[in-house]
Amino acid sequence: MGKKVKKELEPPPKDVFDPLAVESKKAETAVLMLQSPEEEILAKSCDALYKFAKKGDENKVTLLGLGAVESLSKLISQEDKIVRRNAIMVCGIMAAHNDVRRLMQKLDMIPPLIARLAPEEEVVVHEFATLCLAHMANDYTSKARIFELNGLEHLIRLLSSPDPDVKKNSVECIYLLAQDFQSRSAVCEQNAIPPLLELLKSDYPVIQQLSLKALGSVSCEAECRQALKEHQALDHLLKILEAKELNDLHVEALLIIANCLEDVDTVQLLQQSGGLKKILTFAETSPLPDVQRNAAKAIAKSAHNAENRKFFHEQGAEKTLVDLLGSDNNGVKVAALQAISVMCANVVSKDIFNKNGIFQIIHLLNKDNAEVQEAAVFALANLSTGCPNNASAVVEADGIDALVSLLKDKGEGVIANTCTVLINMATQESLRLALESHGVMTALVATLQSSSNLVLRKALLTVAALGCDAEARTEVSGFTYNEVCTLGGSLVIRHLPYILNSSSTPKPSQYQIGICWVSQRC
């Protein structure tokens, strides 16, 4: 047998570079490697940059300064799937920073980002592309660009993705886009209501909340409210309100209901189904101030319509609103007072508030909170207009001193509404005498020095209404005769056109006598 001869290995071609394993410890090096033509190096560099950027905003700013965004803007359209995926992951994380988003907008990265939403892309790509778009949708210009490129269509499709992160990012982006009226209409036109309602069943509270926020935005449009009604959205929302374990969703759910209650047919439907009573009961019993406030706001918004006021009255909304006045939360009180101001356009409601509300409203005039005071006196102005019984109830509730004090308030709205209440009270002789005994005329003279045309107009009308009695005229002329002589003539001449054009002018006889008195004394 012949001796075996070991076969020599052929040397590698001279033009082939031997593999080089490099370990980099600097972000600068990884950013430089984004320029490599080798896909494996690109993928590994992007992965390293993703981990670095994820650690905090300072790292994102560092990568921004090193020019990483410019390179990534090209790599998100790379042919290699792994490079494309890793690049989009870095972009999704970095877009959380304002400065990064501005550069992305400048580089017009939205078109390739929307392209990554295609069905054939990986779920991870969908996740980070939608995350990046959700961050960018905080800017109006980016929102307009997403809408222009039909990004909404892709986002709506991804609401049905099996991945919860994709759903979360997509619904958040839709919510931000829906801040613009064009996008709101497009959401309905592209049949997004069913998948948004489906997300209310999600196991993830953040997805439920974002879905409610998106529905809240689109429900501002009448055609969208119609779509919500057609898909039984109110049934979904009422079920949320009835579930105590979903109390973190109650505020957003009520905001949608508030918008839907603008439509008479919706209010009628809710009344017939018992839904309206559920909403009122929920407003009374909820332990959450934000929920109670939004419930009162919903009533106020809807009750601007006469038919809706009738439906609310039939369900006892007045009692609910009076009960809310007893809340410890000032925001709830203000919302309830505003709703009372609207509801009292119904004469029957005015009578109900006379028995159960005016005393509490008078009590709120003495609160230190300016918003509560303003809302309370506005409610009294509406309650006492055209209703002598309510004007008398103000006196019975010892409200005159509080009204006199409000004439010294800095807010012109408070003073003007206080004057309206006094004018309404002055139509009755017994009430005029009660006002005079509490020094109302004296307080009004100081009000005549205001620089506000609204305050001066109302003050002069109040003086005219109260000046029908000789005792009142004597009180003012005896107490501040010189001041009235100085102010009166010029004020009457200067502000007579405003008085004549005022919608709250008293009866002609009172008005004429009062103005004649002011003119004569001056």
Side-chain angles (χ1 to χ4, degrees):
M1 291 178 64
K3 188 178 180 182
K4 291 183 178 180
V5 180
K6 188 177 180 180
K7 189 177 180 181
E8 293 184 4
L9 295 174
E10 294 184 7
K14 294 180 179 180
D15 60 346
V16 174
F17 184 79
D18 293 335
L20 174 66
V22 177
E23 182 178 330
S24 173
K25 295 184 179 180
K26 296 287 186 180
E28 292 92 330
T29 306
V31 172
L32 287 173
M33 291 166 69
L34 295 178
Q35 304 298 326
S36 172
E38 297 183 53
E39 292 167 349
E40 186 178 356
I41 290 177
L42 291 172
K44 288 183 177 179
S45 299
C46 288
D47 184 54
L49 292 174
Y50 166 74
K51 294 174 182 177
F52 181 71
K54 197 175 180 181
K55 293 178 180 178
D57 283 347
E58 289 184 5
N59 292 354
K60 295 180 181 69
V61 174
T62 298
L63 294 179
L64 175 66
L66 292 172
V69 178
E70 289 85 348
S71 298
L72 291 167
S73 67
K74 300 171 184 176
L75 295 178
I76 60 175
S77 300
Q78 239 269 358
E79 289 184 8
D80 185 81
K81 291 174 66 176
I82 298 176
V83 174
R84 196 164 65 237
R85 180 195 67 196
N86 290 0
I88 203 76
M89 288 173 66
V90 187
C91 290
I93 291 297
M94 290 189 65
H97 197 280
N98 287 332
D99 295 338
V100 174
R101 289 200 297 272
R102 278 194 285 268
L103 180 56
M104 287 180 169
Q105 182 182 319
K106 186 178 179 181
L107 295 170
D108 197 22
M109 290 180 63
I110 290 178
L113 285 170
I114 291 177
R116 301 289 73 78
L117 303 181
E120 60 270 17
E121 293 284 1
E122 296 179 52
V123 171
V124 176
V125 174
H126 287 164
E127 176 188 344
F128 285 93
T130 52
L131 177 62
C132 193
L133 287 170
H135 284 312
M136 296 190 72
N138 283 286
D139 178 77
Y140 176 79
T141 305
S142 294
K143 280 194 283 193
R145 186 73 170 135
I146 294 170
F147 180 78
E148 177 189 337
L149 295 169
N150 297 318
L152 193 57
E153 179 183 347
H154 297 282
L155 292 165
I156 292 172
R157 172 174 50 79
L158 289 174
L159 291 177
S160 302
S161 169
D163 185 83
D165 288 315
V166 175
K167 288 180 178 178
K168 180 262 178 188
N169 296 335
S170 298
V171 70
E172 183 175 7
C173 195
I174 290 171
Y175 160 62
L176 293 169
L177 291 173
Q179 307 304 306
D180 181 74
F181 77 94
Q182 284 184 317
S183 295
R184 284 200 292 268
S185 299
V187 168
C188 295
E189 291 168 4
Q190 296 185 32
N191 202 30
I193 299 298
L196 285 172
L197 289 173
E198 189 64 27
L199 290 182
L200 297 180
K201 303 173 185 177
S202 172
D203 294 329
Y204 299 90
V206 66
I207 293 178
Q208 294 175 310
Q209 287 178 339
L210 287 168
S211 180
L212 285 171
K213 285 184 176 182
L215 289 168
S217 293
V218 301
S219 64
C220 294
E221 302 296 324
E223 62 270 23
C224 293
R225 291 197 295 273
Q226 181 62 31
L228 286 169
K229 189 170 71 169
E230 290 171 0
H231 290 94
Q232 288 78 48
L234 288 171
D235 291 339
H236 290 279
L237 297 170
L238 288 174
K239 286 178 182 177
I240 289 174
L241 294 183
E242 291 169 353
K244 292 182 180 179
E245 66 274 15
L246 299 178
N247 59 9
D248 57 324
L249 305 178
H250 289 171
V251 173
E252 300 296 343
L254 268 173
L255 288 174
I256 303 170
I257 292 174
N259 289 336
C260 292
L261 289 179
E262 288 187 46
D263 304 323
V264 176
D265 54 345
T266 300
V267 179
Q268 186 174 13
L269 182 67
L270 282 171
Q271 189 220 23
Q272 293 169 351
S273 66
L276 204 58
K277 188 64 177 177
K278 287 180 182 178
I279 294 169
L280 294 173
T281 302
F282 178 73
E284 285 186 64
T285 58
S286 175
L288 302 176
D290 285 346
V291 169
Q292 293 183 315
R293 183 176 68 249
N294 285 336
K297 286 182 177 180
I299 296 171
K301 195 171 188 179
S302 179
H304 281 289
N305 180 283
E307 281 295 308
N308 290 349
R309 284 197 299 274
K310 183 183 76 172
F311 293 135
F312 276 114
H313 165 66
E314 291 171 357
Q315 296 299 321
E318 296 91 348
K319 178 184 178 300
T320 299
L321 294 172
V322 171
D323 287 344
L324 291 178
L325 293 180
S327 169
D328 293 331
N329 184 278
N330 287 329
V332 174
K333 292 173 185 173
V334 170
L337 287 164
Q338 291 170 342
I340 288 172
S341 298
V342 180
M343 280 295 295
C344 69
N346 185 330
V347 176
V348 181
S349 295
K350 276 187 176 180
D351 292 337
I352 294 174
F353 289 128
N354 177 300
K355 300 171 185 176
N356 300 301
I358 288 181
F359 180 82
Q360 286 179 262
I361 295 173
I362 292 295
H363 176 70
L364 294 177
L365 293 179
N366 297 311
K367 289 290 181 183
D368 293 334
N369 186 279
E371 282 189 80
V372 173
Q373 284 184 327
E374 184 170 1
V377 75
F378 180 63
L380 276 182
N382 285 323
L383 284 166
S384 60
T385 298
C387 188
N389 287 339
N390 285 350
S392 298
V394 174
V395 178
E396 293 167 8
D398 297 325
I400 297 179
D401 286 335
L403 292 170
V404 172
S405 296
L406 288 179
L407 288 174
K408 303 170 186 175
D409 195 273
K410 294 179 181 179
E412 63 174 27
V414 172
I415 299 174
N417 286 318
T418 301
C419 286
T420 299
V421 179
L422 296 174
I423 291 168
N424 294 335
M425 294 171 69
T427 59
Q428 302 176 63
E429 183 178 359
S430 60
L431 300 189
R432 285 200 303 274
L433 295 175
L435 291 172
E436 291 158 12
S437 67
H438 284 75
V440 170
M441 292 296 277
T442 302
L444 281 169
V445 170
T447 306
L448 291 174
Q449 301 178 57
S450 172
S451 59
S452 165
N453 282 337
L454 173 63
V455 170
L456 288 171
R457 184 165 72 248
K458 286 288 187 177
L460 282 169
L461 286 168
T462 310
V463 170
L466 293 168
C468 298
D469 294 320
E471 186 176 336
R473 295 195 296 272
T474 302
E475 178 190 343
V476 174
S477 60
F479 186 80
T480 56
Y481 176 80
N482 293 332
E483 188 169 7
V484 172
C485 287
T486 303
L487 293 172
S490 60
L491 287 172
V492 170
I493 293 170
R494 182 151 46 102
H495 297 284
L496 191 55
Y498 295 108
I499 297 171
L500 293 173
N501 292 327
S502 174
S503 60
S504 59
T505 301
K507 293 179 181 179
S509 59
Q510 297 172 355
Y511 170 75
Q512 290 166 358
I513 293 170
I515 288 297
C516 286
W517 169 74
V518 174
S519 301
Q520 289 169 359
R521 297 308 301 167
C522 297

